[in-house]
Amino acid sequence: MWRDRERRTTIPFGIAAFRIGVYALWPFGYTTVERRDAGAASCVGNVLWLVLAGWWLAIGHIVTGIALCLTIIGIPLGIANFKLIPVSLLPLGRDIVRTDQPFTATSGW
C-alpha cells in the first residue's frame, strides 16, 4: 500500500512532492494519468493533501499561469502552469507519462 515499485517502504507525501517537483521542472512532453491500482489510502491521502497544501499550490499555479499568459513569450509557460494544477491538487495515485505514450501507465498491455 505505501510502497513504491521496488517494494521499499516509502513516505507517500514525499513521493508526491517529488513527483510535483520533477513535473514542474520540465512539464513539456509529459502528462499525468490516474493509476488504476491506487487504493483507498491514496484517496484519504489526497483529501489530506488537498486540505493542507493542495489548494495553495493550485492557486499559485492559477495566478502565475494567468500572469505568464499576459505576455506572448510567457504563453507556453502559462499553459505549463495550468497543466500543473491537477497534479498539485491531488498528486497521490497519479503517474507522469510521456505524451507520445499517454496510456502506458494505465493499460495492462
Side-chain angles (χ1 to χ4, degrees):
M1 168 170 55
W2 296 109
R3 296 177 184 266
D4 61 3
R5 292 184 181 152
E6 286 82 25
R7 300 293 179 204
R8 293 183 305 238
T9 305
T10 57
I11 302 171
F13 294 109
I15 292 174
F18 184 72
R19 185 178 304 126
I20 292 170
V22 168
Y23 189 51
L25 181 65
W26 193 255
F28 306 107
Y30 293 93
T31 188
T32 61
V33 293
E34 292 184 26
R35 290 178 38 199
R36 303 262 185 216
D37 60 345
S42 67
C43 181
V44 171
N46 274 333
V47 170
L48 188 62
W49 179 279
L50 179 68
V51 170
L52 296 177
W55 66 282
W56 283 105
L57 292 171
I59 289 172
H61 287 300
I62 290 170
V63 170
T64 56
I66 291 171
L68 284 168
C69 285
L70 294 177
T71 65
I72 292 174
I73 295 173
I75 290 175
L77 298 174
I79 292 171
N81 261 318
F82 293 136
K83 281 177 51 176
L84 289 167
I85 292 171
V87 75
S88 66
L89 272 176
L90 305 170
L92 299 173
R94 290 188 178 263
D95 277 334
I96 298 171
V97 296
R98 298 186 58 82
T99 54
D100 59 347
Q101 304 169 358
F103 300 108
T104 56
T106 59
S107 67
W109 301 91

